[in-house]
Amino acid sequence: MDKTQAGSFESTQEFLVMRNIYESAVKQLALKFEILNSEFNIQYSRSPIHHIESRVKSAQSIMAKLTKKGMPYNIASAKENINDIAGVRVVCNYIDDVYRVAEIFERQKDVEILKKQDYIKEPNYNGYRSLHLDTRIPVYLSDRTEYVVAEIQLRTIAMDFWASLEHQMKYKKDIKNPEMIVRELKRCADELASCDLSMQTIRNLIRDEH
């Protein structure tokens, strides 16, 4: 797969239609979380969500993933084989906020939860922590309804900080001493997890004083 192929894929009308549908899906999902955060702020005078990020994979990223999976380069193949073309990241202040926000979100009747992976309770081998939800939501168009699969990642600020650094390392070429960096990242992940628990405990103690 090269840039010429990706450019050809990206310029097709079919891809532009698909991208618009997936962009509509992430807008809807982001809005759902913004509404939940606003309601929480009014009811409890605090916001469980620190910030929300969203993205739709580029044509090049989609084709790279299809190549990795050994799948054909077409829109139908992308929709069927890639669950994270649309992605929303919800960064919360505390661990219990992650689970509370996810629990409320999962109760919404127009959201279908396809898969749930809890990398907070069971971290990945490298220390990665996050709660993943593969979802399917309806996008209402002028002449039809499209059901879009999107991945939601919920994590704390500390988990997001770590994941950002790990992402840089993963895509950086010609790194010296990669084994040492991997060990350090794992150590930092464990320390940040401990810090997350301590911060939540302190928050709970402050809350209970009132």
Side-chain angles (χ1 to χ4, degrees):
M1 190 271 292
D2 57 30
K3 290 183 178 179
T4 302
Q5 287 177 298
S8 175
F9 184 77
E10 186 175 22
S11 64
T12 64
Q13 179 68 17
E14 193 179 7
F15 176 80
L16 295 175
V17 169
M18 183 193 78
R19 184 172 183 85
N20 179 62
I21 293 170
Y22 277 83
E23 285 176 345
S24 299
V26 297
K27 286 176 185 176
Q28 287 184 196
L29 287 169
L31 181 59
K32 284 178 177 291
F33 287 109
E34 288 171 9
I35 290 170
L36 289 177
N37 203 40
S38 177
E39 181 194 6
F40 236 84
N41 194 24
I42 291 170
Q43 288 191 349
Y44 305 108
S45 299
R46 77 175 193 87
S47 300
I49 298 174
H50 184 267
H51 68 273
I52 301 165
E53 301 173 11
S54 62
R55 60 104 184 98
V56 175
K57 278 186 181 295
S58 67
Q60 194 162 351
S61 293
I62 291 171
M63 292 186 72
K65 200 150 191 177
L66 289 173
T67 299
K68 188 176 180 180
K69 289 174 174 279
M71 299 297 176
Y73 299 152
N74 59 60
I75 299 300
S77 175
K79 287 181 176 180
E80 183 177 349
N81 296 295
I82 304 177
N83 286 341
D84 63 344
I85 293 176
V88 175
R89 184 174 301 140
V90 182
V91 180
C92 298
N93 293 302
Y94 301 98
I95 295 173
D96 58 358
D97 287 335
V98 169
Y99 289 109
R100 182 71 184 280
V101 169
E103 178 189 4
I104 296 169
F105 174 78
E106 289 177 55
R107 292 203 299 261
Q108 299 199 8
K109 295 185 185 295
D110 62 339
V111 177
E112 180 185 358
I113 306 299
L114 302 175
K115 186 177 180 182
K116 184 174 182 177
Q117 292 176 287
D118 192 339
Y119 295 112
I120 298 175
K121 291 181 179 175
E122 296 183 15
N124 206 346
Y125 70 94
N126 61 353
Y128 174 82
R129 288 168 169 84
S130 189
L131 179 63
H132 286 203
L133 301 175
D134 285 353
T135 65
R136 182 185 285 117
I137 68 162
V139 174
Y140 300 102
L141 302 172
S142 61
D143 59 348
R144 68 191 188 282
T145 301
E146 290 272 351
Y147 290 87
V148 176
V149 175
E151 182 188 71
I152 299 170
Q153 300 174 353
L154 298 104
R155 58 178 65 147
T156 65
I157 299 168
M159 294 172 196
D160 192 55
F161 176 54
W162 182 93
S164 176
L165 187 60
E166 194 271 344
H167 182 81
Q168 291 180 41
M169 185 266 182
K170 185 183 294 185
Y171 292 98
K172 180 80 172 176
K173 296 180 180 179
D174 302 322
I175 292 180
K176 296 179 181 178
N177 300 319
E179 295 84 3
M180 183 192 71
I181 294 176
V182 168
R183 287 196 304 270
E184 282 297 295
L185 277 169
K186 177 62 170 63
R187 182 183 63 80
C188 286
D190 294 338
E191 289 182 358
L192 287 170
S194 178
C195 183
D196 257 338
L197 290 172
S198 296
M199 294 292 285
Q200 181 171 290
T201 299
I202 294 168
R203 192 282 308 270
N204 291 344
L205 288 170
I206 294 171
R207 182 191 60 197
D208 293 343
E209 287 291 321
H210 295 81

